[in-house]
Amino acid sequence: MAFKNVFLVLTIIFSTACLSQEYPNRTVKVIVGYPAGSSVDLYTRNISSKLQDRLKQAFVVENRVGAAGTVATEAVVHASPDGYTLLSTASQIVINPFVQKISFNTEKDLVPIAQTLSISYLLVTSPNFPANNLNELVDYVRKNPKKFNYGSYGNGSGPHLAMAMLQRASGIEVTHVQYRGSGQMLTALMANDIQMSFDTTTATLELIKAGKLKAIAIGGPKVVDVLPSVQPIAQLYPGFNSDGWQGIFAPANTPSNVVRKLNLEINQIIQGAEFRDLAKSKGVSVSSSSQAEFADFVKSELKRYEQIVKENNIYLD
């Protein structure tokens, strides 16, 4: 009996090892819920290309845009849990359950594989707006309540929540205008159709350098290396944090050895000099973690954003 048990254990170990070595043995689809050229798309294509080189199989990126990433997430939730359909997405995935009617359970129907990046939202204005820092902006808007507009990608999006948090913290009043995406919103901002917005460093940095936008404050708790003179909002309003992030997920019940293998490979890629230099040039931080650490982080982010949505009276579309 003891021999049979030992044999069974060895068989399981051997089978698991073989499966891990065999994966992947065909094309892996990486679904992105954001347009080509977006921040998520940019980093996903870089990672996918390197996974393809390392694992000697095609990693094909497919953009499925809609409902702030929910269309892509639904496709992955209903895919076969075999590691051949992955989701690359942004922190909007932990906001959507509280601002949309979704048909799946984010925590139960997906397995987090690896966090890849931490991305700060910047508060930016049109170049001619008469404020150069957060104190000046808050003072000016308080003296002119409801006179100014701010943009977002839609109700419940990261920029919407960040501005709702700032209004609650500071007492300022600005009017929400929704756009279809970052590009449309920033175009409106440069044209002064709106006067301010939050957006990622990836989307805004080159426009700031070109003088087409003005950086007022950082939504995350730390100064961004590429904008050393721009101070975090948390310095004026302690505890303020609107940082976003990106990560890769798979359908629930994807084999654990496949998840571990992908976590290991992705972490090695994002810790490489080429990827780190790309991220740094965009004002973005690499965020390597174990699969368990990322899973715990996603749970904590779901709780955090549930509270933020409730506190700021943000309702379903």
Side-chain angles (χ1 to χ4, degrees):
M1 182 64 72
F3 176 78
K4 288 183 178 179
N5 288 340
V6 171
F7 179 77
L8 179 60
V9 170
L10 290 174
T11 300
I12 292 171
I13 292 172
F14 178 76
S15 299
T16 301
C18 288
L19 181 60
S20 178
Q21 290 171 359
E22 290 171 0
Y23 175 84
N25 55 30
R26 54 187 171 88
T27 297
V28 178
K29 183 187 297 183
V30 186
I31 298 180
V32 176
Y34 300 88
S38 65
S39 171
V40 179
D41 180 77
L42 169 70
Y43 300 115
T44 300
R45 290 184 184 276
N46 188 286
I47 292 169
S48 297
S49 175
K50 290 178 172 55
L51 282 170
Q52 182 167 295
D53 292 342
R54 294 173 66 91
L55 298 177
K56 310 304 179 186
Q57 288 291 339
F59 278 72
V60 177
V61 176
E62 179 179 315
N63 301 87
R64 294 199 191 181
V65 181
T70 296
V71 170
T73 305
E74 284 182 335
V76 174
V77 164
H78 295 111
S80 177
D82 53 14
Y84 290 93
T85 304
L86 306 176
L87 173 69
S88 183
T89 192
S91 47
Q92 190 67 39
I93 195 172
V94 295
I95 301 172
N96 287 340
F98 313 112
V99 298
Q100 293 184 16
K101 293 178 181 177
I102 58 177
S103 62
F104 55 88
N105 184 303
T106 304
E107 190 172 344
K108 293 181 180 179
D109 294 335
L110 292 165
V111 55
I113 294 176
Q115 184 180 355
T116 53
L117 297 165
S118 178
I119 301 179
S120 282
Y121 279 102
L122 295 177
L123 175 60
V124 291
T125 68
S126 53
N128 298 324
F129 191 81
N132 294 306
N133 56 54
L134 185 59
N135 265 318
E136 291 179 3
L137 182 143
V138 169
D139 287 344
Y140 191 74
V141 175
R142 279 177 178 166
K143 293 174 183 176
N144 299 274
K146 299 184 180 179
K147 184 178 178 180
F148 303 113
N149 300 323
Y150 77 94
S152 84
Y153 319 151
N155 192 47
S157 64
H160 179 207
L161 264 65
M163 186 61 79
M165 291 162 62
L166 179 59
Q167 290 187 92
R168 186 170 184 268
S170 66
I172 62 174
E173 296 182 73
V174 282
T175 302
H176 184 203
V177 180
Q178 300 183 43
Y179 295 91
R180 291 183 179 178
S182 174
Q184 188 184 66
M185 180 186 74
L186 293 178
T187 298
L189 181 57
M190 288 184 285
N192 203 40
D193 294 336
I194 56 175
Q195 288 70 50
M196 64 192 74
S197 69
F198 279 89
D199 208 345
T200 65
T201 50
T202 301
T204 59
L205 188 58
E206 294 306 314
L207 296 172
I208 292 167
K209 289 179 178 179
K212 295 179 179 179
L213 292 177
K214 188 189 299 184
I216 299 295
I218 295 166
K222 298 179 181 179
V223 171
V224 175
D225 289 344
V226 291
L227 295 168
S229 64
V230 182
Q231 298 303 304
I233 294 173
Q235 289 191 359
L236 187 58
Y237 303 107
F240 190 100
N241 182 9
S242 64
D243 259 2
W245 48 266
Q246 293 181 17
I248 296 177
F249 295 74
N253 301 314
T254 297
S256 59
N257 59 301
V258 171
V259 172
R260 286 194 299 270
K261 184 171 187 175
L262 285 168
N263 175 270
L264 176 64
E265 295 291 341
I266 291 166
N267 274 307
Q268 290 182 353
I269 288 168
I270 65 177
Q271 289 293 344
E274 183 183 342
F275 190 86
R276 292 180 70 88
D277 288 347
L278 171 65
K280 186 176 181 179
S281 72
K282 303 292 186 181
V284 176
S285 301
V286 171
S287 298
S288 58
S289 61
S290 70
Q291 189 276 327
E293 287 170 339
F294 184 39
D296 287 342
F297 175 69
V298 170
K299 288 181 181 179
S300 68
E301 286 286 273
L302 282 163
K303 291 179 181 177
R304 184 167 81 93
Y305 277 104
E306 181 178 20
Q307 182 178 354
I308 289 171
V309 168
K310 288 179 179 177
E311 286 177 348
N312 292 281
N313 297 315
I314 295 170
Y315 300 102
L316 295 170
D317 280 329

